[in-house]
Amino acid sequence: MMTQSLTGLPAFLSYFATATGLLAVFLLAYLWITPYREISLIREGNAAAAASLSGAMIGFVLPLASAIVHSVSLLDMAVWGLIALIIQLLAYLAARLLLPNLAHSIPGGQIASGVFLAALSLAIGLLNAACMTY
């Protein structure tokens, strides 16, 4: 009975490892395109940076989870995960257009900017996830 329960373990591990790798790539790309150092700011207690980075992560993981659920293969999931990654990075760039002072307001601890960026990331992530129900 236990062996029957574990027959899906290799697939689980493959999808989980790939998804974790995609999350790491997303975080590296996101941290690279932002002009401020979120991790340092979060360590200093900057709530705006914590909100914006948290929203970005969740906004990426939502469509990634949808890709996992709806994909037909590991490669299919990875491709759609990369699409989600690109969409989330574009959402950040759009936020920079909407709020030109974003590069200064997040490091300055302006929570409103951090919350707006988090909400935008979540909204785009939800739309992205919903569109992946093919």
Side-chain angles (χ1 to χ4, degrees), residues 84-117:
L85 186 150
I86 292 166
I87 297 296
Q88 284 303 118
L89 295 178
L90 290 173
Y92 171 76
L93 296 174
R96 293 277 310 264
L97 292 174
L98 289 170
L99 301 173
N101 292 327
L102 192 62
H104 301 291
S105 60
I106 298 289
Q110 293 182 8
I111 296 172
S113 294
V115 169
F116 173 78
L117 185 53

Side-chain angles (χ1 to χ4, degrees), residues 56-124:
M57 281 191 301
I58 296 168
F60 171 67
V61 169
L62 286 167
L64 182 59
S66 181
I68 292 167
V69 169
H70 296 101
S71 65
V72 295
S73 68
L74 188 62
L75 178 61
D76 187 44
M77 183 274 285
V79 167
W80 284 102
L82 287 172
I83 291 168
L85 186 150
I86 292 166
I87 297 296
Q88 284 303 118
L89 295 178
L90 290 173
Y92 171 76
L93 296 174
R96 293 277 310 264
L97 292 174
L98 289 170
L99 301 173
N101 292 327
L102 192 62
H104 301 291
S105 60
I106 298 289
Q110 293 182 8
I111 296 172
S113 294
V115 169
F116 173 78
L117 185 53
L120 179 65
S121 296
L122 290 169
I124 295 299

